[in-house]
Amino acid sequence: MNTSPVFPRMDGGIGPFYPVVDDIALLKRLLAFGVRTVQLRVKDANHPNLDAMIKEAVACGRLCQAQVFINDHWEKALDAGAYGLHLGQDDLKSADLDAIAHAGIRLGVSTRTSDELELALSLNPSYLAIGHIFPTPTKQMPTPPQGVAQLSKHLATVAGKVPTVAIGGIDIAKAPEVWQSGVDAIAVVRAVTQSCDLAATLQSFAEVLTEEARNERIVVEQS
């Protein structure tokens, strides 16, 4: 694994709201509502429509001038000219990072431990994802939930070198606490994929994920 590439920065920053979905129709709805950073995560490498889904996600991102990341499937993302690619620790071992960087594709990297965080920092990625913060049923996790206190420690290690994303079990009730850590963005899965009213869900997160809301609670806690 080559650790020398420097990946492009994100044009408009990462956050604050970062939905992760496995459905093109939902991805399109999010973009139509004005969401500007979203990830297509289709875990089944044998999905019959995978190539078409990736190409459509990339095209929709360009049309809406949005930052659409493709999870895993780096070769297909590279062929499609994706804006961004998100890789887990295992995927980093097989991906051609030089080719990805040379193509100008942004790279997001998942981390779960301090060692993984240090490794990811050495890759000069476009952003770092830290998780999982709370228990989540969306995927099997080899490590226990980290919680907000550990998230804050990881953020201190990053020290603003790259944008950071918190992920894992974050719903609207838990979002304020996570936001107070100083993380740059909050990634959500079930909060959007299981939403009965997507517009209302997006509005609720928009009200929570503001600098005013972050600073207001800090003042209350310190007084």
Side-chain angles (χ1 to χ4, degrees), residues 26 51 83 105 144 194 196 200 214:
L26 179 54
D51 287 70
Y83 173 88
I105 296 176
Q194 297 181 11
C196 296
R214 183 165 14 218

Side-chain angles (χ1 to χ4, degrees), residues 133-147:
I133 308 304
F134 302 110
T136 173
T138 59
K139 61 185 294 190
Q140 291 288 340
M141 304 300 291
T143 55
Q146 302 201 40

Side-chain angles (χ1 to χ4, degrees), residues 1-9 96-102 107 121-125:
M1 181 175 60
N2 192 324
T3 60
S4 62
V6 177
F7 296 90
R9 302 300 92 182
D96 188 338
L97 299 183
D98 286 306
I100 295 166
H102 183 72
L107 177 68
L121 279 171
S122 74
L123 300 177
N124 302 302

Side-chain angles (χ1 to χ4, degrees), residues 151-161:
L151 168 63
S152 297
K153 293 179 181 178
H154 288 322
L155 293 177
T157 298
V158 176
K161 295 183 181 73

Side-chain angles (χ1 to χ4, degrees), residues 50-144:
L50 181 59
D51 287 70
M53 291 174 72
I54 290 174
K55 290 177 181 177
E56 188 168 5
V58 171
C60 289
R62 289 175 180 162
L63 181 64
C64 296
Q65 297 183 319
Q67 302 177 147
V68 176
F69 282 78
I70 306 300
N71 184 282
D72 297 343
H73 316 303
W74 67 269
E75 290 174 299
K76 297 181 185 298
L78 188 63
D79 290 341
Y83 173 88
L85 180 68
H86 182 94
L87 296 178
Q89 294 287 317
D90 291 338
D91 302 299
L92 288 172
K93 300 172 184 176
S94 58
D96 188 338
L97 299 183
D98 286 306
I100 295 166
H102 183 72
I105 296 176
R106 283 84 180 162
L107 177 68
V109 179
S110 293
T111 67
R112 298 164 299 201
T113 66
S114 297
D115 288 343
E116 290 182 354
L117 192 70
E118 294 287 355
L119 172 61
L121 279 171
S122 74
L123 300 177
N124 302 302
S126 306
Y127 74 82
L128 286 173
I130 302 171
H132 58 305
I133 308 304
F134 302 110
T136 173
T138 59
K139 61 185 294 190
Q140 291 288 340
M141 304 300 291
T143 55

Side-chain angles (χ1 to χ4, degrees), residues 148-202:
V148 177
Q150 185 61 42
L151 168 63
S152 297
K153 293 179 181 178
H154 288 322
L155 293 177
T157 298
V158 176
K161 295 183 181 73
V162 296
T164 51
V165 179
I167 187 169
I170 304 172
D171 56 22
I172 191 61
K174 295 172 181 173
E177 180 186 9
V178 177
W179 189 234
Q180 288 304 301
S181 69
V183 72
D184 295 303
I186 289 178
V188 299
V189 182
R190 287 177 298 151
V192 293
T193 61
Q194 297 181 11
S195 174
C196 296
D197 187 337
L198 188 58
T201 296
L202 297 181

